[in-house]
Amino acid sequence: MAFTIRRDVSLEALNTFGIAARARCFARIETIEDLQALRERPEWADGPRLILGGGSNLLFTRDFDGLVAHVALTGRDYLGDDGDHHLVSACAGENWDAFVRHTLREAWPGLENLALIPGSVGAAPVQNIGAYGVELVERFAWLEFFDLATGRVARMNADACGFAYRDSAFKRELRGRVVITRVVFRLPKRWEPRIGYGDVRAMLEEQAIDRPTALDVADVVTAIRRAKLPDPAVIGNAGSFFKNPIVTSPVFDAIRACEPNAVGYPQADGCVKLAAAWLIDRCGWRGHSLPGASGRAAVHDRQALVLVNRGGATGAEVLALASAIAESVAARFGVALEPEPVIV
Ligand code: EPU
């Protein structure tokens, strides 16, 4: 379809929270040429811009009075190997879970712990997606991006991406400056299952699988996610709403002194990553909404770290609930919670 810019477009189906925000101008990007054409258009220079991928990690708090570019580049390729790894690429608009399943069908293991994460391939590096003991950075080779200042496509390696826990340069200094167009993964030829995460190990034991294949791990991870996390197709959400906060070990010890069951994971640098879900749950939020509010924004009843849109919630309602949660956690535990999704 020829490249067009549409006006006053609903974004409701394009964000997994299902927030009914609208865009003043909207362009669907299917090719690099579309990106080049977009830069020439007057709407490009007229007001703010937002690059939208799978919409699975953002919260609209108002209508977007500018240009939304929805990245829908598709295509997957096998680029050969570097000796020990398969190099496999996918364009930014490919669905993440469909890509993971494709790699498993082709017998290229490595992404199985990241099965069923909602969103697109292009969004995956933005927050360095991670689950069940694996982070994207561990399987990352390089990515290609369109530089919005120069109109050229270039390559970026992991160092330049600045990956950290649920974070990257794309959330910080590169925000609004580049469009990720393609991501290349390094998938190990000599593969070992990563099954140290408690829930994964327990489900494998329950199913009496002692030497799991990558497909077994993907299926177990998928089953755990389905049991705990709400399906965005059924109830709007953006996965974990807060990052798990990292505190020093004396801070963790002080919390443990009052709350012996507090959940924390020691980090390589001596700090402790706290389970934000546990903190929020302990403050009594699981399954609840903000007292006195409409009740349309709520805390998921099976995972306290996930906020949900029960239907018709505004982004402002979700944000008000998130603020109240963060305030109660700060008051009770002295720990600051930081939102994980991008707030627009
Ligand atoms: N817990 C509670 N109450 C709850 C939920 C959990 O007390 O309502 C406790 C659990 O008992 C457990 C701990 O909190 O001991 C951690 O819970 P869980 O294993 O569900 O993991 P999480 O830390 O809440 C993180 C990621 C998820 C990822 C899982 C599995 C972040 C912010 N979240 O959640 O990622 O799927 O681990 O690896 O790091 C996402 O980023 O959107 C996401 C879903």
Side-chain angles (χ1 to χ4, degrees), residues 131-132 165-166 197 240 242 244 265 278 281 286 303-304 340:
Y132 304 102
Y165 165 62
R166 290 298 191 277
Y197 201 93
S240 303
F242 299 101
N244 282 328
Y265 311 98
W278 188 90
D281 203 349
R286 182 148 56 88
Q303 226 298 0
E340 190 189 287

Side-chain angles (χ1 to χ4, degrees), residues 18-47:
I19 302 291
R22 303 188 74 82
R24 178 158 62 81
C25 298
F26 179 90
R28 185 177 152 89
I29 303 297
E30 292 178 359
T31 63
I32 302 289
E33 291 71 35
D34 288 348
L35 278 168
Q36 272 147 356
L38 186 65
R39 286 176 75 248
E40 311 291 321
R41 296 289 294 259
E43 293 88 344
W44 179 250
D46 180 22

Side-chain angles (χ1 to χ4, degrees), residues 62 89 161 220 284 302 343:
R62 59 175 80 95
S89 79
C161 294
V220 159
R302 274 170 285 150
I343 314 281

Side-chain angles (χ1 to χ4, degrees), residues 308-328:
V308 295
N309 174 4
R310 286 175 170 160
T314 64
E317 285 173 325
V318 175
L319 209 53
L321 172 63
S323 302
I325 291 170
E327 272 166 33
S328 67

